[in-house]
Structure formats: C-alpha cells, structure tokens
Amino acid sequence: MTPAMYESPNNSKRSGRRGSLYISVLGVTLIVGMMASVAITVVRLEMRTNTTYNQMQEARLLAASGAEHGLSYLENDSAWRSTLQNDIERGFTNKGNGQFCWKIVDADEDLTDDQRDTMTIYGIGKVGDAVAVESVKVMPVGTPLSCLEVALLVDESITLEAGWWYFETEIDSNQTVGSNGSIDATNGSTKLDADVEVVGTATGDIDGTILQGVAQRVLPGDDMFEYYKSMGTWIDISQIPTDSGALILEGVVLSPASNRFGTTNAEGIYVIDCQGADLSIEHCRIVGTLVVLNPGSDSGIFGTSVFERVVANYPTLLVDGDFTLSVSDYGDKTLNELSWGINLNPPGTPYGGVANLTPTDWYNAKLDGLVYIRGQATVTDATDVEGGMVCDSLDIESMVRLDVDFERVYYDNPPPGFAASDTMQVIPGSWRREAY
C-alpha cells in the first residue's frame, strides 16, 4: 500500500486564496472590458447622433434654399406656367455636403388652368440619409379681377321681390350693378337705382344706363381665403357664447387693439371657423377684416353693427358660405351704446378720433369696406355697403333696400385673393416644415 500523501493545511489555504484572487482579477478585467465596450458604443452613438443632427440641420437649410430657388424661378421666368410641371421635382443641385431641389404644386393639379390659384412651393434638402422639406405658399398679385370693376357683382341672376305701395324693394348704387346672369325688376314696387351691366337681359324699373350681353365677370377663385387664414388671428369658437347651439357674437369689439378672445392682430384680421354652427353677429363693432368660415345656414349680421376696414384696400367682411345681412334694426341705422349697455370705442379703438370707457356714444350702422360672400347673400333689413360687394347669389326680402357704393381703391390696388396674374407673391406666415 502506498502511503497517502500528506498536504499541509497552510498549503491548501494558500491554493484557495490564489484561485479566489484569479477569479477576482478575471471579474474585474471583464467588468473593465465591458465598461470600455459600453463607453465606446456610447461614443459611437453620440458621434452618430451628432452626425445625424448636423446632417438634418444642413438638410433643412438646403430645403429652404430649394424653396427660395423656386421663388426666384417664378420671379424671373414669366412663362413658368408652361415651362414647369405640377408636382414634379426639378433636378437636384449640389451644395455644401448635400443637395437640394424644388417643385411647385397646384391643388387642382393644373398650373395653367386658372391665374387666380394659390400655389405651394416645396424645397427638398438631402445630406447623407437626412432629408428635410420646407414649403411656402404663393398667391397671384397685380391684375385685379373684373368683379372689382363694379359696385355690386352677383354671379347669378337677380330678381327683386315685389314691395308694397311706397315701400319698395330696392338696390341703390353710385356706380354699376352687374350680374353674370340677368336682372328682373318687373315685380310691383321694385326699383334699381344704378347703372346696370348684365350677361343676359335687364328688365323692369331701372333708373340708369343698361348694358346687356357684356362679358362675364370673374369672381375670386377657390383659394382666395388662404392669405387671410394665414395672416389672421383665429378665434376659438369654444370661447364664443352660445344660445341653442348658435354662436352669439354680441356687443363685441374686434380691432388691432381689442380682442376679448385672445391675442390681437395688427391688421385687424380675425378668423372664425363656425364648423357648421350658426353665427349671429349683433351690435358689434368690427375694425378690420372678419373672416367667417363654414357658417351654418342661418348665420349673419342680425343686429345694428358697424364694420370698418383697417387696411385701405382690404375687405371688411369675407364669408365662405351663405350669410344674411341685416345691418340695421328695422331700418334704424344708429347703433346706440346706451341702448345696449356696451362700450364700442375703448382706448386703442377710437371712433371719429374719440375713445372712452363710457357707454354714451352712437355709431352709423354700415359695412365700410369690400364685402365678399361665397354663397348666397340674403338681405333682410336696410344695409349700407361702402366699398363694393361680390357674392354668388343675392336675395333681397320684400320692402328692403340694399345700398352699395363703389370705391376705386379696390380695383386700383386689389386686395389679396382678388387678383389673377402670373406674378406671384409669398403669403406671409405660410412657411412650413413638412414631412418627407
């Protein structure tokens, strides 16, 4: 028998300590290696992130350059409608670390069909894998639409309802009433006190020269509201009081210095999207341009009110839909603050040079400025318009008078949306960053 080998207890302990030390060193080495690997990965990710961020920033600059290039092209090529194709990118141009291109888009997909159309220019910038898109809207400027040649232009025929004895249904104007259809003032107690120009025929009690068979006049196109939507201050309808679901704008002052619903607008352009609800405007003073979108069928001005423009050649009322005009209460052309307990000439919004905080003033009820209604205008009480009026169709109730005076400023310097031209201008505030 071979005697068993003897191992000293001390040697066994030293061997165990060496093994533990080895494992500890190995563990530390692995941890350090993992930390180094993580650190390297983080650095690489940061570098990649920084590179991607820098590329995107440069791509955005290139996209803006592309849009600017498109604007320059339109400015320098009077035949751009025929030399460009809708929604087709122009060739890329190399610049810096990337490249850019641009395209022009007409919503109706035809650049040549209508000089009234608003267009959108898209600039596209690329750097590496980063792609950015910037857009800007342009509108025609310069040549006025022919609807601005006359005081009142109705796209359809006009038929005046019969009045009663001396209470006539009447249209008065200091210039011309035009229709792209015909005018019928043959019913009893009706009168048209103005010159008349019609595409069809004009018959009845007309106190003025009559021109029949004239060329059809052009009204604003589908995009005419774009400028005002871009430049206007939007009023949230949730802030407007309601009555049985109808929006009630009563005793309100809207002006460059006054807007109880939010921020003011330097040009007095305020936009209300009714979203199909009826809007009733009563005993208000609007100093600027009120834009009414998607109004319900029973919307309109139903109480003595005063509208005044801020910019000399801007409209005072723009409506996308049917709208009723009853600017005077039962023929009363005076808006009296005391009667309604309201103040309509607060500090910052004087009337006739006077501003105060007392409800003791009175105002002449009128629409002072161009009125455009893309829909039917229904006149239910005496209404004065000073500046011009354009609408698709017109219905004047029996024994009611509509007085429209012409102002040449709108024809000489057409407001946004009332021009047709190959000369295009950027709509301020329309620059957007788009998804690619």
Side-chain angles (χ1 to χ4, degrees), residues 82-103:
S82 58
T83 57
L84 296 176
Q85 292 178 285
N86 183 68
D87 203 9
I88 299 297
E89 296 175 1
R90 305 283 290 178
F92 275 93
T93 299
N94 294 323
K95 186 175 181 180
N97 297 314
Q99 51 185 190
F100 69 81
C101 70
W102 63 276
K103 64 180 180 180

Side-chain angles (χ1 to χ4, degrees), residues 335-345 358-361 363:
L335 175 57
N336 192 324
E337 290 181 336
L338 190 60
S339 298
W340 303 101
I342 54 179
N343 174 259
L344 299 176
N345 61 333
T358 58
T360 56
D361 300 297
Y363 310 82

Side-chain angles (χ1 to χ4, degrees), residues 2-248:
T2 303
M5 294 182 64
Y6 173 75
E7 182 177 352
S8 168
N10 291 332
N11 289 338
S12 177
K13 291 179 182 179
R14 283 195 296 271
S15 177
R17 284 197 297 270
R18 285 195 297 270
S20 299
L21 181 61
Y22 174 77
I23 292 174
S24 298
V25 171
L26 181 61
V28 170
T29 302
L30 288 172
I31 291 172
V32 171
M34 290 175 63
M35 291 177 65
S37 177
V38 169
I40 293 171
T41 301
V42 169
V43 170
R44 286 176 176 170
L45 286 173
E46 289 178 345
M47 291 178 63
R48 190 176 303 162
T49 299
N50 288 336
T51 299
T52 302
Y53 174 80
N54 292 335
Q55 287 179 340
M56 180 54 71
Q57 292 300 105
E58 188 173 357
R60 287 170 178 166
L61 292 174
L62 289 172
S65 295
E68 293 283 359
H69 195 78
L71 292 172
S72 177
Y73 188 97
L74 265 58
E75 183 177 355
N76 292 295
D77 185 355
S78 59
W80 61 267
R81 290 184 186 274
S82 58
T83 57
L84 296 176
Q85 292 178 285
N86 183 68
D87 203 9
I88 299 297
E89 296 175 1
R90 305 283 290 178
F92 275 93
T93 299
N94 294 323
K95 186 175 181 180
N97 297 314
Q99 51 185 190
F100 69 81
C101 70
W102 63 276
K103 64 180 180 180
I104 186 168
V105 177
D106 187 341
D108 65 14
E109 300 182 354
D110 190 341
L111 301 180
T112 62
D113 69 326
D114 195 339
Q115 286 186 309
R116 300 170 298 174
D117 286 351
T118 294
M119 311 279 183
T120 305
I121 293 177
Y122 293 89
I124 303 166
K126 294 183 178 182
V127 179
D129 294 330
V131 181
V133 180
E134 300 277 338
S135 70
V136 62
K137 290 185 177 180
V138 293
M139 64 180 181
V141 294
T143 306
L145 299 180
S146 54
C147 63
L148 298 177
E149 294 175 337
V150 296
L152 170 63
L153 191 280
V154 181
D155 197 31
E156 299 179 6
S157 294
I158 303 171
T159 299
L160 296 181
E161 294 184 23
W164 184 75
W165 290 85
Y166 296 106
F167 300 98
E168 297 175 316
T169 306
E170 186 174 353
I171 299 177
D172 293 341
S173 176
N174 66 345
Q175 197 235 22
T176 303
V177 172
S179 169
N180 283 338
S182 297
I183 292 180
D184 182 355
T186 60
N187 294 319
S189 296
T190 60
K191 184 178 181 181
L192 207 161
D193 187 6
D195 294 336
V196 168
E197 295 184 9
V198 292
V199 174
T201 59
T203 55
D205 187 358
I206 298 173
D207 187 8
T209 60
I210 299 175
L211 288 179
Q212 302 179 114
V214 302
Q216 183 168 320
R217 284 191 163 82
V218 179
L219 281 72
D222 295 337
D223 303 324
M224 76 81 49
F225 290 91
E226 290 301 316
Y227 174 88
Y228 306 95
K229 288 160 66 174
S230 177
M231 292 298 291
T233 295
W234 290 66
I235 295 176
D236 188 343
I237 61 172
S238 66
Q239 300 183 52
I240 301 177
T242 60
D243 184 3
S244 301
L247 304 169
I248 308 297

Side-chain angles (χ1 to χ4, degrees), residues 274-287:
C274 301
Q275 301 176 27
D278 292 331
L279 172 67
S280 179
I281 300 173
E282 306 170 14
H283 315 119
C284 292
R285 183 169 173 230
I286 310 298
V287 183

